[in-house]
Amino acid sequence: MDNTNQSISQLLEEVQRLQAGLADIKLMTEKLTAELYLSEERFSLAMRGANDGLWDWNLETDEVYYSPRWKNMLGYAENDLENTINTWGNLVNPDDKDRVLEKVREYIDGRKNSFEVEMRMHHKDGHEIFVLSRGFLATRKSDDKPLRLVGTHVDITERKIAEAFDSKYAEILEMIAIGRSASNIYDAIALMYESRHPGMRCSMLELSGNKLLHGGAPSLPEAYCKAVHGLENGPSVGSCGTSTFTGQRVLVENIETDPKWEKIKHFALPHGMRCCWSEPIKSSSGKVLGAFGMYYNYAALPNEKELKDLISAARLTGIVMERDQTQKRIRTLAYTDELTGLASRASFIQHMEEVTKTSFRHGRRFGLLYIDLDNFKSVNDSLGHNAGDLLLKTIAERLRNTCRDIDFIARLGGDEFCILIEEVEEDYAANVAKRCHNAISQPIEIYSRKLTPACSIGIAYYPDDGRDISSLLKAGDTALYTAKGNGKNQYAFYKMELTQKAEYRFQVEQSLREAIEKQQLSLVYQPQIEVNTGRIVGFEALARWHHPELGQVPPFDFIATAEKIGMIQSLTEWVLRTACSQLVSWREKKIHMLRMAVNISPSLFLNKEFASLIKRIIEEVGIVPAELELEVTESIVQTDPRNLSIFENLKNLGVSLAIDDFGIGYSSFASLKHLKVDYLKIDRLFVADMLADKQALTLISSMIEMGHKLGYGIISEGVENSEQLSILKNLGCEKVQGYLFSKPISAAKIEKLYLSKSAG
Ligand code: C2E
Ligand code: CA
Ligand code: CA
């Protein structure tokens, strides 16, 4: 029994101990549960505190749990997305998806020992957010296969935007450092601030005098930028016009209602702009250079961050603007000559480089005029430097007035000037040289002293005289020294023969103006013979010019010059009067012939007043219209059909018409048949060739045949021998003219000829 009691009490003790143990266990369990609960709560608290979303991916079932915060981060409520499949796959940016899944695989395979990845996800509102996802394998089964991947999502959008902003900012600083163009940088600055504030649009205006000029505004409509470009600033000219005027920040909450926008809101409202905040852009010394503007499509005032950005944007732009203006000033200083305002040597060289390139590409010529004042030093020495400066300014002004806008004039230094001329016509550079010469040598009064400046000009051509800048300048310089060496106040080409040619042409031009007055012109007459009878039936009057220095100037030269300088009408009038008067005077001396032929330039022939000019002369001089024959070259045949009336008017007048130099213009007989003319005058080139060249003969014979068929008479000029005459006679040519009968001779000689004949 004792044993039994002992064992019972032992058992009780044991039970008590067990009970105590159980209580302990219970206590421990409770404690553990509480701890577990606590830690879970702490975990979730920690998640919430850290603003993290949770996800839990069962790799076997492919089910994923998303915590409310996870959804919330993307704009969804706690209960949203419950029954959707492939939730993440639909929300992640497709461009990021493969990269993220690859990271998952790497981690699960054990190739990487952590999982952390950034990705872009679609927010319910439509915008994108940046997410940092981190995870770890939560459970592994006994076979070591991964079961769950658990992780967090953190919204890192702000940080990403800040990072992008910082790198953009660094990029802009780099752009400034390497000297990119201001307008490029302005655009970059605008885009940078716009990317930081979705919906914002930025603009930069530059103040020039009191005008606002477009600086940069890549996101504002062009129509708006154009409308405000050139606007004058003032106390209430929008936000930027006002801020540049006052030098103060101007925050306009609503463009529609703010009085400062009253006058110009119609520029902005159609483009949706509703608020505009403007910060003056200032230089380091505080001068207002422009204004930075920020716009939204809704009425608002800036929040703290926007205001900070507005100020910093204006400051950053200020650095660029100030630098740009300084550079522009330096460039102006380097590229213009301060005294005269002409281009400087540096800019001349630069321009020449460009023109050389384009001329090479297009196979064009250009001329270089190298001008140097004669005796400039003596002006400086005797009248002082101020007088010298005044003279240089005047010369510069004269050059400017003499040249076309596209001629590039520069002062190379001292009293040296250069003009680059992209030629339009052959003689243009020489003409400019001549005109500059004349302009410069006009008298000028400086400090009550009358001066007559003079200059020497050297002319060189690209590519003839030099293919690169230095050789071309050298050629110009050489030509200049030639001009100086020839006795100053002259111009000279690099190629000597060009100088002589140009000289001659100018002299012809210059002297021709006075040739009529000075009675240097005269006429010679060449008889026209009727083939059948051998009788003189008329004369062709040919102009002659004897110049006291130039000697006998060939008619081809002075006729062309007369056309060029607008003298052909007065010259022809003189010829007509002289020739017709000669007819009258011969008639009085009983010298009778039928006709006087006078050459008429096509330009004059086509002049509307021409027929009445002829009529007037005929009446004034008193000849019968049929006694006058007008020779006009074949080029007239291809003329505008409207000119046909000219032929008609002249025919009505009763004068005879001949087509001169016929055959060399290859005009078709078809076009000829409309013209009412009397004679075709076969050019002397055909006549000269007809004996040696069968083709020329064929041509002449068919010209004569066709001409006859169309009802024209035929005259052949340049007949020098009897063989030509007999062939022409056989072909039926009515009239001939040429050295075989007589050279063109003076009226006096003709009279002598007649008198001796009649005497004999
Ligand atoms: P054109 O009208 O063809 O004149 C004929 C030219 O041939 C003249 O040259 C004449 O001297 C030349 N000639 C005459 N017979 C012969 C010959 O047998 N053999 C050769 N080789 N030549 C001969 P010129 O007088 O030197 O005149 C040249 C051109 O000048 C004329 O060519 C004409 O186009 C123009 N011209 C002359 N006078 C006047 C004028 O008063 N007004 C206009 N508009 N042009 C004129
Ligand atoms: Ca003629
Ligand atoms: Ca001729």
Side-chain angles (χ1 to χ4, degrees), residues 660-661 683-684 717:
D660 203 358
D661 299 350
D683 192 73
R684 65 173 182 272
E717 66 176 10

Side-chain angles (χ1 to χ4, degrees), residues 540-542 597-600 631-633 660-661 681 717 737:
E540 178 180 3
L542 291 157
V598 173
N599 294 286
I600 308 292
E631 290 188 6
V632 61
T633 53
D660 203 358
D661 299 350
K681 194 165 182 184
E717 66 176 10
Q737 183 184 339

Side-chain angles (χ1 to χ4, degrees), residues 662 667-673 677-678 680 682 698-714 731-732 734:
F662 189 74
S667 51
S668 70
F669 278 97
S671 55
L672 200 64
K673 72 171 197 278
V677 300
D678 303 270
L680 300 183
I682 294 176
T698 315
L699 273 171
I700 287 195
S701 77
S702 45
M703 277 192 274
I704 294 176
E705 196 187 329
M706 283 295 275
H708 280 156
K709 279 191 179 147
L710 289 168
Y712 304 120
I714 307 289
L731 291 173
E734 286 95 349

Side-chain angles (χ1 to χ4, degrees), residues 504 508 512 521-522 524 541-546 552-563 568 571 599 601 684 744:
Y504 173 78
V508 167
L512 186 63
L521 291 182
S522 62
V524 287
L542 291 157
R544 293 288 176 266
W545 178 25
H546 183 86
Q552 206 67 31
V553 182
F556 281 118
D557 286 354
F558 69 82
I559 296 294
T561 307
E563 274 168 16
I568 192 69
L571 188 137
N599 294 286
S601 290
R684 65 173 182 272

Side-chain angles (χ1 to χ4, degrees), residues 42 87 220 245 641 648 690 710 723 745:
R42 275 191 201 128
T87 305
L220 286 179
F245 188 76
E648 212 141 304
M690 67 191 268
L710 289 168
E723 279 166 280
I745 48 174

